[in-house]
Amino acid sequence: AKGAGMKVTAVKVEAQRRLTAGDEGQAVVIGFTLGNIAFRMALVELRVRRVTSSLIMVGLGSSFRFADVEPLVGKLAARIQAGL
């Protein structure tokens, strides 16, 4: 397959933040390069009362911003809360 065997390079933890959504939340943003393309990935762990949830978001490094993650995490927390 095209792209098979490509290696991820230049992996860097760019940010670690506590989140205000839910009862507890943590996000880690990791930047990496695949071939010649830069990406960012946000790994989110969120707790709302007894429910824990994980969320992974990946985007192009040139357009992916942590500010885009926070509203989505807020919506996730609200949906969990509504289901309890």
Side-chain angles (χ1 to χ4, degrees):
K2 186 176 181 180
M6 293 181 77
K7 294 184 180 181
V8 174
T9 58
V11 177
K12 180 182 176 188
V13 175
E14 295 182 356
Q16 260 185 307
R17 298 189 184 164
R18 293 201 180 272
L19 301 170
T20 57
D23 297 321
E24 282 183 277
Q26 179 81 20
V28 177
V29 178
I30 297 172
F32 62 95
T33 303
L34 181 61
N36 292 328
I37 304 170
F39 292 91
R40 283 195 180 105
M41 173 172 52
L43 307 166
V44 176
E45 285 294 321
L46 178 67
R47 183 178 68 82
V48 178
R49 293 179 33 197
R50 66 183 185 274
V51 177
T52 60
S53 181
S54 299
L55 183 63
I56 300 172
M57 292 165 272
V58 179
L60 291 173
S62 59
S63 60
F64 186 94
R65 301 285 177 255
F66 184 77
D68 300 330
V69 172
E70 293 180 293
L72 296 174
V73 173
K75 287 181 182 182
L76 176 61
R79 285 184 176 218
I80 293 171
Q81 183 64 42
L84 292 175

